[in-house]
Amino acid sequence: MVDATLPLAGRTVVTTRATPGRLDTMLAEMGAVALHAPLIEIEPVVFDATVPDGAQWLVVTSQHGAQVAGPIAAAHPHLRLAAVGTRTAGVLAALAGRPADLVPARQTAADLVEAFPAPSDDRDAAVFVLHGDLAAPTLVDGLRAAGHRVVARVAYRTLPVVPDPGIRTTLLGADAVTFASGSAARAWFAAIGVATPPHVVAIGPTTAAAAGEVGIAVTAVAATFDLDGLAAAVVAELAPAP
């Protein structure tokens, strides 16, 4: 029996990441029923993983990108590492065998661009970016606008997953749905439309914007753009007032 004193006791929260994980665990520990409905799947792609001549930085924006980039970083210890988000940086560090050199305090691509060092005097210097096929151009365009030579390659593909039609009623009957990426919000729209549970919580402004673009009304955005912030935003939305 769930402890009725837990902040999310008796609440049902839909999670939409490719696989259940830390978010589901945190929600369950706070008393919620975490209803995992994967709406996206990650598919690796064959790409040219050759490190460009002059590359000084290897940059990733997601944990999926970090999983691909980690072995490359391990094989090229001269590369400095940058990541959007502490969790992504942790995955990259574990596989590279060294910590990331740059992780912005606010976990967005725009903040990484702002925190990035000025371009090197070496005209051949390059920033090697590995990202997904649906990645926003914010990072690559921002670095190029700042004067960096950027070599960007698509390292994985994000595909929508169509849930069983019978689960639609269950999903819409939940108290809240969480979106941890813009692709998850777009996949929800493709599978279900703009109908949602009463509370829609996005991990950050980029994800909220993606939801808004397809007509999904977001009711809360995490204050910190990570899973801890997402879970905290769910609590703020659903927990009874003191």
Side-chain angles (χ1 to χ4, degrees), residues 126-196:
V127 178
F128 189 27
V129 178
L130 299 182
H131 57 73
D133 63 321
L134 300 181
T138 306
L139 176 66
V140 171
D141 287 356
L143 290 175
R144 284 176 175 156
H148 294 277
R149 182 170 73 90
V150 179
V151 178
R153 294 186 182 134
V154 172
Y156 62 91
R157 183 179 295 114
T158 303
L159 302 175
V161 173
V162 178
D164 188 307
I167 200 174
R168 175 187 170 95
T169 300
T170 300
L171 297 179
L172 293 178
D175 295 293
V177 59
T178 60
F179 294 131
S181 66
S183 55
R186 289 186 288 266
W188 177 280
F189 173 75
I192 297 175
V194 298
T196 63

Side-chain angles (χ1 to χ4, degrees), residues 14-79:
V14 179
T15 64
T16 55
R17 306 187 84 199
T19 57
R22 185 162 169 265
L23 177 62
D24 301 73
T25 299
M26 287 190 291
L27 293 172
E29 289 174 346
M30 291 185 287
V33 174
L35 179 59
H36 180 241
L39 296 178
I40 58 173
E41 63 181 0
I42 305 302
E43 179 181 83
V45 300
V46 177
F47 71 100
D48 181 4
T50 305
V51 174
D53 291 340
Q56 296 182 347
W57 284 89
L58 177 60
V59 183
V60 294
T61 60
S62 71
Q63 294 182 45
H64 305 297
Q67 290 168 352
V68 176
I72 297 173
H76 297 84
H78 73 284
L79 289 174

